[in-house]
Amino acid sequence: MLTLILILLPLLVAIGLFFIKNERWARNLALAAALIESGISIAALYTYFNFCHCQLLFRFEWLANYGISLKFGMDGLSMLMTLLTNFLVPVVIYSSFTQKVERASSFYSLIILMQAGLIGVFTAFDGMMFYIFWELTLIPAYFIAAYWGGENRIRITLKFFAYTFSGSLLMLVAIIYLYFHTPLPHSFDHIWLYASNLNPAEQVWVFLAFFLAFAIKIPIFPFHTWQPDTYVTAPYSGSMLLGGLMSKMGLFGMIRWMIPITYPVLNRTDGFFIIFPLIGIVYASLIAIRQDDLKRFVAYTSIAHLGLVAAGAMALNAQAMQGAMIQMVSHGINIVGLFIIIQYIESRTKTTSIAELQGIALKAPRLAVLFMIILLGSIALPLTNGFVGEFLILLGLFKYYWLYAAVAGLTVIFSVVYMLWMYQRVMLGNTNTVTESFTDLSWKEMIPLIAIVIMIFWIGIAPGMFMHLAENGVRQIIGVVR
Amino acid sequence: MTILITLIPLLPLLGFIILGLGYRSIPKHIASIIGPGSILISFILSVIVLLNFRFSPFAFRFFDWISFGNLSISFDFLIDPLSILMMLIITGVGFIIHVYSVGYMSHDEGFNRFFAYMNLFIFFMLILVMAANYAVMFIGWEGVGLCSYLLIGFWFKNQQFNNAAKKAFIMNRIGDLGFLLGMFLIYKTFRSFNYVTIFDLAKTMSPGSGAITAITLLLFVGAVGKSAQIPLYTWLPDAMAGPTPVSALIHAATMVTAGVYMVARSGVLYVLAPETMEIMGITAMATMLLAAAIAVFQNDIKKVLAYSTISQLGYMFVALSVGAFTAAMFHLMTHAFFKALLFLGAGSVIHALEGEQDIRKMGGLKNAMPKTFWTFLIGTLAIAGIPPLSGFFSKDEILANVFSSSQPMWIIAVAVTMLTAFYMFRLIFFTFFGSYRGNGHPQFSNIHESPAMMTIPLMILAFLAFAGGFLNIPELMGGSRVLKEFLAPVFADAVKLNQIPHMPVPERREWFNIALVLFLVLLMAFRAFRKFGDLKPDDGNRISGIGARSIFGKLAENKFYVDELYDAVFVKPVLKVSGALHEFIEVKFIDRIVNGTGTLVVRFSNIIRYLQAGHVGAYMFFMIIGILLILFFNIIL
């Protein structure tokens, strides 16, 4: 039941928000709803650990004739992703309070709607439900970027929409195709889909459809070109939702659906598909070095980091997959942190160009420290969140094929190169005309960043709870693969 | 006991947290108690650990860090003679340098921030040496890299300093990747990260096996980065951008010794990999020779010492490469004493000269700052290897070991010893002898000895640099080998398994070698005296550099253009590739295909038109309503 509440509450709130005229009220209600949602997921976590270790399953036969049921539940993976979602959404909403948002009620309504969609994606145990919620998230993402975005928003968001939408249509075809190959009576239930009976050629087609859909969403090289433009043009809250959470849908889809169903293809192709994210790591890292726009910079670093996660997910061993799960959480937290900081910088200086900024640390030591900590998380320094996942992924990749780990490991070097150089140019040195009147963060502005920093150290120093949650799901999936 | 041991690294961490959070509100006089105080308590605790140590190493668990399935990485500490020795050096020398810093940094507005970073550094360094497995060692390993970045770029207004800081971090990270991959291979081979488990298993393996060779080579890449050996040494001379106590602490006494410590710790693995030992020996020889040659031609007081550090680290690696682990650790210890002393002495000089670092503009300071001079002289005599100072014994130990394994190597080591004596005496004559050449910047009469806060640490270090060698007087001279016996259990297995042949050397020959080396060292000192003993402001030729005359000198003065080479081969191409990838591959190729496909689809479909013409608001609204209705009806009905 908790699972259902987690989905329904934001759906209802999203509708309610549309009708609230007072914008202050709307945003406060949105934040309150998001916080209540967080509270509920903590209750779910508590139940999970202390009472049942069960999956908090909600199941309702909907279109029984077609084997479609409303089946939602929480295993470790869902729990982890739900917690991430319900941690980040309030942070995203709160950090937007310092900005002026027009048509606030629609804006926050869409964010909450996005939250509902995300929870649906992460908790669906029915293929059709997974698809429906998958598409549901695209709608708010599209409108947030298209209405509240910056330059060229119509063209860019259209590309984003068309690109990701065509990917997900392929996925729909694959799911329906799988359905017809499930044991009788056909069903979209995940257990049925896992048990579908495909010959090797069919497996390849289904795999490719899933892979494309997820590769576009994450995105994986070379299907990533919609992403930098979209991150740049979307409003900050939109970029945070896209980079922090929507990208995780693709990775989650890989782990929950693609790998258990079509892992024989990954085995037969002998790691061929891991090469794409590996190229992406090097390629995007190299490009990130010279980017001048901070948001575009973050976009490219994100392609590199997510490439590592995708490679880990596809290495088909427990360590790499475990690392991938942890790294999804860490990346979500860190990228939102980075976007919040860029948002603060832009709201003070009216620019996101690295070349125009300089010496901010002199004026804003608080910002400088928080920025540095998030940056350390991103470069995976031990005792920060980035290290745990990256270490496990690389360890697992090494087990799979040492050369892959060596190539993926280049991120250890590249991340320092691009991150420190960016930090040096933006934060260090002497101030210039743009930054000389830069004011340090207020306490109010620091709250979301402090929350993020706490998570960075929590996962980095004592990842036990997160490891436990991930392990529970990873073991099942690796069990299927074996 | 375990609580006390846990406190040793935690106290500096606590100091960091307190000073970090209160970097604006904590007054200086309190910060100058918290900063050094936390290290002092750690030092006292380390001494207590030493006194209670009963010759059986023990490990204990602090907490579980990363564990799932059959992988378990826990935060374990290992207390054995090797880690105790390192803890004493780090906290002992660290404390002295902290006290000195209180004086040195007293006028700096970033006072609290400085001590916060220094405490954090000590924390990571202690984690590095106290770890009971490679994963926890890696925490310290990366952590000191970070602190080095923070401290080198401490005065972050200056972008030149920031470049140096970034360079240090990046070069360290290149080594770290090697370390990481080495760790992964260790896990694949031994299914564990724990030293004890790994070494027990390794002992049963045959020497020269592929896995162990690869592991040791990869770990050595890490050591090359951290301990500034060829080809990753260029960050260390640049690291002098930080405040001078930082140079003393990080870039001389502790952080750079991490690589030496790691190899010594992994001794069992290294002796089983003769090829790695050979590569290490060659790298180390090349490094110590190159760095010593460059040091001869440098005119920045800190640069001379920096290259000297690189050279001395090479010396330690040479010792390791013949399996002389105790000798390497002995030299590591004495080097920590005299190099910290020399750097702090240099800091005292720079402090007095209001920031001047060019030795050509110094001279005649021995009367103006006698305490600094005498202590600096002791440091110089120690590093040059004059008996009975500490450097004499530790160098002799290395030379004796090298001689019994490889005589060509010994000859190079002796050559480096000679160069060391030469550049160090050159430095001291330039700085303290002759007449003042500062041209009134500052006025000679304004140059004063540093305050007691700085000179007392110098004296303590001078005492250690003088007497540190008595811990390990060779049997040849009828001494007791306290250090060797103390460390013996740690290296017992490694020594037993050592593949490198050791020829017995007759006692007479050993005495002859010692006398020969001493004679050569004194000769070089004398040569330096003849050339630079009494420099006057108008001795243009001799001052402006011995380098100007020969091609070799010119090359060495410019550090053999290695920085320029790296810039041309790595930095610039990467920047070019970065731009080109974006412009040509990303925008003009991949994205063009995507857009082309999109356009094609649009032409043949009406989907897009439908979307654009539709009333999006309504569309969205009905979608939500729809989903809700479906959900509700199905639950209720």
Side-chain angles (χ1 to χ4, degrees):
Chain A
M1 207 58 201
L2 278 172
T3 316
L4 190 69
I5 295 172
L6 279 170
I7 300 172
L8 280 180
L9 175 78
L11 270 180
L12 289 171
V13 172
I15 293 184
L17 278 170
F18 263 119
F19 299 105
I20 292 182
K21 283 280 170 300
N22 183 326
E23 306 206 329
R24 267 192 85 79
W25 271 88
R27 68 175 217 193
N28 289 339
L29 180 64
L31 181 64
L35 287 173
I36 291 169
E37 180 83 353
S38 308
I40 298 172
S41 44
I42 289 167
L45 181 73
Y46 183 78
T47 320
Y48 177 89
F49 271 124
N50 291 307
F51 293 111
C52 53
H53 258 265
C54 56
Q55 304 198 332
L56 303 173
L57 212 57
F58 171 81
R59 189 189 175 129
F60 184 84
E61 295 296 336
W62 178 24
L63 303 170
N65 293 344
Y66 302 100
I68 300 176
S69 54
L70 301 170
K71 188 177 178 191
F72 299 97
M74 294 246 204
D75 64 348
L77 304 185
S78 307
M79 184 65 80
L80 204 55
M81 298 317 293
T82 306
L83 286 172
L84 176 70
T85 309
N86 290 341
F87 169 72
L88 286 182
V89 170
V91 168
V92 170
I93 292 175
Y94 187 82
S95 74
S96 72
F97 281 13
T98 53
Q99 312 293 305
K100 186 162 166 34
V101 180
E102 287 173 23
R103 282 167 304 187
S105 39
S106 316
F107 184 75
Y108 290 108
S109 163
L110 288 168
I111 291 181
I112 298 285
L113 179 61
M114 179 93 177
Q115 185 179 24
L118 286 161
I119 305 274
V121 167
F122 293 140
T123 56
F125 277 94
D126 178 283
M128 198 42 82
M129 287 301 120
F130 176 73
Y131 175 76
I132 289 173
F133 280 93
W134 175 277
E135 294 295 28
L136 176 63
T137 58
L138 188 55
I139 296 161
Y142 171 77
F143 285 110
I144 289 173
Y147 272 111
W148 286 269
E151 243 175 281
N152 283 331
R153 58 176 187 269
I154 298 303
R155 190 181 61 77
I156 288 167
T157 46
L158 180 64
K159 179 169 160 185
F160 156 63
F161 187 90
Y163 206 163
T164 52
F165 190 69
S166 49
S168 31
L169 281 181
L170 284 175
M171 182 175 80
L172 177 64
V173 174
I175 292 176
I176 292 172
Y177 190 85
L178 275 171
Y179 166 79
F180 284 114
H181 291 77
T182 50
L184 286 169
H186 296 313
S187 167
F188 283 100
D189 191 301
H190 81 297
I191 297 167
W192 259 258
L193 291 178
Y194 283 11
S196 58
N197 189 4
L198 300 176
N199 68 37
E202 291 170 320
Q203 274 175 353
V204 171
W205 289 112
V206 171
F207 171 82
L208 285 177
F210 272 127
F211 182 77
L212 262 179
F214 298 142
I216 292 169
K217 202 76 164 191
I218 293 171
I220 290 176
F221 173 91
F223 308 103
H224 64 277
T225 51
W226 62 268
Q227 183 252 32
D229 286 338
T230 311
Y231 281 18
V232 171
T233 198
Y236 282 97
S237 308
S239 307
M240 290 175 206
L241 292 172
L242 285 171
L245 292 165
M246 207 160 172
S247 60
K248 307 303 172 299
M249 285 167 44
L251 292 162
F252 180 84
M254 274 190 170
I255 292 174
R256 167 79 83 224
W257 301 97
M258 184 186 92
I259 288 172
I261 295 173
T262 60
Y263 65 90
V265 180
L266 281 173
N267 277 332
R268 282 206 305 276
T269 49
D270 208 17
F272 172 76
F273 286 94
I274 300 181
I275 291 174
F276 291 103
L278 286 185
I279 294 174
I281 293 172
V282 177
Y283 177 86
S285 299
L286 278 170
I287 288 183
I289 295 173
R290 278 281 285 271
Q291 289 307 307
D292 182 58
D293 185 284
L294 278 169
K295 285 175 95 179
R296 195 174 291 275
F297 167 83
V298 171
Y300 280 106
T301 66
S302 177
I303 295 170
H305 287 150
L306 293 170
L308 184 67
V309 182
M314 289 193 286
L316 299 185
N317 64 50
Q319 280 140 18
M321 192 177 283
Q322 176 87 5
M325 286 307 301
I326 300 292
Q327 195 65 351
M328 277 158 71
V329 177
S330 304
H331 175 267
I333 291 167
N334 293 342
I335 196 174
V336 168
L338 288 174
F339 275 128
I340 292 175
I341 282 174
I342 299 170
Q343 179 182 20
Y344 291 157
I345 290 177
E346 191 186 356
S347 68
R348 285 165 165 76
T349 62
K350 308 291 174 243
T351 178
T352 54
S353 161
I354 293 175
E356 291 175 31
L357 297 166
Q358 207 180 314
I360 293 176
L362 278 176
K363 295 287 173 187
R366 287 171 178 169
L367 177 76
V369 170
L370 292 166
F371 195 177
M372 177 52 83
I373 293 171
I374 294 168
L375 191 142
L376 294 177
S378 309
I379 65 171
L381 199 87
L383 301 185
T384 65
N385 60 357
F387 178 74
V388 180
E390 191 173 298
F391 180 79
L392 289 172
I393 290 172
L394 290 175
L395 183 65
L397 267 182
F398 192 89
K399 197 167 152 193
Y400 185 81
Y401 180 28
W402 66 270
L403 190 60
Y404 282 3
V407 174
L410 290 176
T411 186
V412 170
I413 300 167
F414 281 133
S415 60
V416 193
V417 173
Y418 55 67
M419 282 290 177
L420 289 188
W421 198 37
M422 178 277 295
Y423 190 84
Q424 179 184 348
R425 286 176 293 163
V426 172
M427 301 302 290
L428 307 181
N430 227 329
T431 50
N432 60 15
T433 46
V434 179
T435 54
E436 67 193 358
S437 56
F438 201 96
T439 48
D440 205 353
L441 300 184
S442 63
W443 279 102
K444 204 178 149 188
E445 287 172 312
M446 279 167 69
I447 288 172
L449 290 176
I450 288 173
I452 280 170
V453 164
I454 289 172
M455 293 305 290
I456 286 176
F457 287 124
W458 183 3
I459 301 177
I461 296 170
M465 186 189 91
F466 305 91
M467 296 289 282
H468 186 84
L469 286 173
E471 185 183 0
N472 159 294
V474 167
R475 199 193 293 133
Q476 280 175 9
I477 286 162
I478 292 295
V480 173
V481 172
R482 288 266 156 74
Chain B
M1 194 67 184
T2 54
I3 295 172
L4 288 187
I5 294 171
T6 316
L7 279 177
I8 293 174
L10 285 190
L11 285 168
L13 179 66
L14 193 68
F16 160 73
I17 293 171
I18 294 171
L19 291 172
L21 291 178
Y23 68 101
R24 268 197 286 214
S25 46
I26 294 177
K28 269 186 189 173
H29 63 271
I30 293 180
S32 52
I33 292 169
I34 296 174
S38 65
I39 313 295
L40 177 64
I41 301 173
S42 288
F43 175 66
I44 293 168
L45 290 173
S46 304
V47 172
I48 293 172
V49 170
L50 172 73
L51 296 177
N52 285 295
F53 186 68
R54 291 287 170 263
F55 298 100
S56 59
F58 70 101
F60 67 93
R61 181 152 303 177
F62 183 26
F63 62 87
D64 240 9
W65 186 30
I66 301 174
S67 66
F68 81 104
N70 49 18
L71 171 82
S72 156
I73 305 173
S74 42
F75 218 109
D76 290 355
F77 290 134
L78 172 69
I79 300 302
D80 74 345
L82 185 57
S83 53
I84 292 177
L85 175 69
M86 290 301 291
M87 282 152 62
L88 288 169
I89 295 174
I90 293 161
T91 52
V93 176
F95 169 65
I96 297 169
I97 295 173
H98 270 72
V99 172
Y100 175 95
S101 308
V102 172
Y104 191 86
M105 299 298 286
S106 56
H107 304 297
D108 199 286
E109 48 187 310
F111 191 82
N112 292 3
R113 192 162 58 90
F114 181 80
F115 280 98
Y117 291 166
M118 293 284 270
N119 278 3
L120 185 67
F121 171 78
I122 299 273
F123 162 72
F124 278 124
M125 194 68 204
L126 286 169
I127 294 291
L128 196 161
V129 300
M130 292 170 73
N133 60 53
Y134 283 101
V136 175
M137 186 199 255
F138 190 69
I139 297 177
W141 192 266
E142 287 255 274
V144 291
L146 166 72
C147 294
S148 158
Y149 166 79
L150 294 172
L151 283 163
I152 296 169
F154 181 74
W155 289 310
F156 60 83
K157 259 197 214 176
N158 184 328
Q159 289 288 20
Q160 228 64 46
F161 295 176
N162 295 330
N163 285 334
K166 188 179 62 188
K167 184 174 176 182
F169 206 171
I170 291 171
M171 287 213 151
N172 267 292
R173 270 262 165 154
I174 295 173
D176 292 352
L177 177 57
F179 192 105
L180 259 184
L181 293 174
M183 258 162 72
F184 297 151
L185 191 54
I186 285 177
Y187 187 74
K188 199 174 167 184
T189 315
F190 302 106
R191 301 248 131 249
S192 173
F193 291 114
N194 278 329
Y195 300 148
V196 179
T197 320
I198 294 166
F199 300 153
D200 279 347
L201 282 170
K203 268 187 274 183
T204 63
M205 294 171 77
S206 59
S209 77
I212 291 194
T213 307
I215 288 171
T216 47
L217 270 179
L218 287 166
L219 291 181
F220 181 60
V221 171
V224 164
K226 196 107 314 182
S227 295
Q229 300 291 292
I230 291 174
L232 297 178
Y233 69 94
T234 58
W235 66 270
L236 187 62
D238 289 16
M240 299 305 133
T244 306
V246 173
S247 312
L249 179 61
I250 299 194
H251 307 119
T254 53
M255 168 176 158
V256 289
T257 59
V260 179
Y261 164 79
M262 188 272 291
V263 174
R265 171 62 80 198
S266 321
V268 174
L269 298 177
Y270 276 87
V271 292
L272 290 172
E275 282 106 337
T276 309
M277 292 293 249
E278 212 161 291
I279 292 168
M280 182 156 73
I282 293 166
T283 313
M285 277 193 294
T287 307
M288 67 181 184
L289 205 55
L290 177 89
I294 295 176
V296 170
F297 295 94
Q298 294 305 305
N299 292 317
D300 181 317
I301 187 169
K302 286 168 85 178
K303 282 257 157 88
V304 176
L305 294 174
Y307 280 103
S308 161
T309 301
I310 298 175
S311 175
Q312 294 298 309
L313 289 164
Y315 227 87
M316 296 173 212
F317 279 109
V318 163
L320 294 171
S321 76
V322 298
F325 299 109
T326 313
M329 292 309 295
F330 184 28
H331 195 56
L332 185 158
M333 182 188 80
T334 59
H335 178 258
F337 297 152
F338 56 67
K339 194 48 74 63
L341 168 62
L342 290 170
F343 261 116
L344 295 186
S348 174
V349 170
I350 295 166
H351 199 72
L353 296 182
E354 296 165 9
E356 184 57 72
Q357 301 193 13
D358 191 333
I359 54 173
R360 288 171 297 192
K361 296 181 185 154
M362 297 178 184
L365 299 179
K366 70 176 189 298
N367 298 323
M369 17 193 351
K371 287 173 189 159
T372 304
F373 165 67
W374 284 105
T375 52
F376 201 90
L377 182 65
I378 290 172
T380 305
L381 295 174
I383 191 174
I386 309 285
L389 281 77
S390 60
F392 167 74
F393 293 107
S394 59
K395 278 195 176 180
D396 174 63
E397 171 108 19
I398 291 178
L399 285 171
N401 274 292
V402 171
F403 187 77
S404 72
S405 308
S406 154
Q407 296 189 357
M409 216 177 199
W410 181 78
I411 292 169
I412 292 178
V414 171
V416 171
T417 309
M418 289 165 66
L419 284 173
T420 309
F422 183 76
Y423 66 67
M424 282 313 299
F425 279 102
R426 170 177 177 262
L427 185 63
I428 209 164
F429 289 133
F430 257 84
T431 311
F432 293 101
F433 287 79
S435 49
Y436 182 63
R437 304 178 295 275
N439 243 343
H441 305 289
Q443 285 294 336
F444 188 71
S445 51
N446 287 344
I447 299 172
H448 292 295
E449 183 59 274
S450 301
M453 201 67 165
M454 287 161 71
T455 52
I456 291 171
L458 288 178
M459 290 175 208
I460 299 171
L461 283 170
F463 170 74
L464 291 170
F466 185 90
F470 298 140
L471 275 177
N472 208 33
I473 298 173
E475 288 121 2
L476 193 64
M477 301 171 194
S480 60
R481 315 196 61 171
V482 181
L483 189 71
K484 182 158 194 169
E485 275 157 30
F486 182 59
L487 290 176
V490 182
F491 298 129
D493 287 328
V495 170
K496 217 180 335 169
L497 294 166
N498 196 355
Q499 308 292 313
I500 291 150
H502 280 266
M503 291 172 307
V505 181
E507 233 177 67
R508 280 214 334 254
R509 183 66 212 249
E510 278 198 51
W511 278 113
F512 173 75
N513 285 346
I514 291 171
L516 177 70
V517 172
L518 190 58
F519 170 72
L520 292 171
V521 164
L522 290 173
L523 190 73
M524 294 317 281
F526 185 65
R527 228 183 115 64
F529 171 71
R530 286 286 298 273
K531 274 182 109 111
F532 315 112
D534 192 23
L535 289 175
K536 309 242 174 339
D538 48 3
D539 285 344
N541 258 348
R542 280 191 290 169
I543 295 166
S544 66
I546 32 184
R549 275 177 246 150
S550 67
I551 295 172
F552 180 81
K554 198 146 213 154
L555 282 174
E557 200 181 346
N558 289 297
K559 306 149 204 163
F560 296 100
Y561 297 98
V562 175
D563 276 315
E564 287 78 2
L565 180 78
Y566 286 176
D567 199 47
V569 178
F570 299 110
V571 181
K572 285 207 177 102
V574 162
L575 288 178
K576 277 222 175 77
V577 166
S578 170
L581 274 183
H582 185 248
E583 191 176 341
F584 297 108
I585 307 289
E586 178 85 350
V587 177
K588 292 199 176 145
F589 184 67
I590 299 177
D591 204 32
R592 202 169 267 186
I593 293 176
V594 172
N595 289 340
T597 317
T599 322
L600 221 69
V601 172
V602 169
R603 285 210 187 124
F604 291 105
S605 78
N606 293 320
I607 297 170
I608 304 303
R609 193 206 297 165
Y610 182 72
L611 254 181
Q612 283 178 331
H615 298 280
V616 272
Y619 170 60
M620 185 170 61
F621 183 71
F622 284 122
M623 173 106 185
I624 304 169
I625 293 287
I627 290 169
L628 272 183
L629 284 180
I630 290 166
L631 280 171
F632 265 112
F633 277 106
N634 283 287
I635 294 160
I636 296 161
L637 294 177

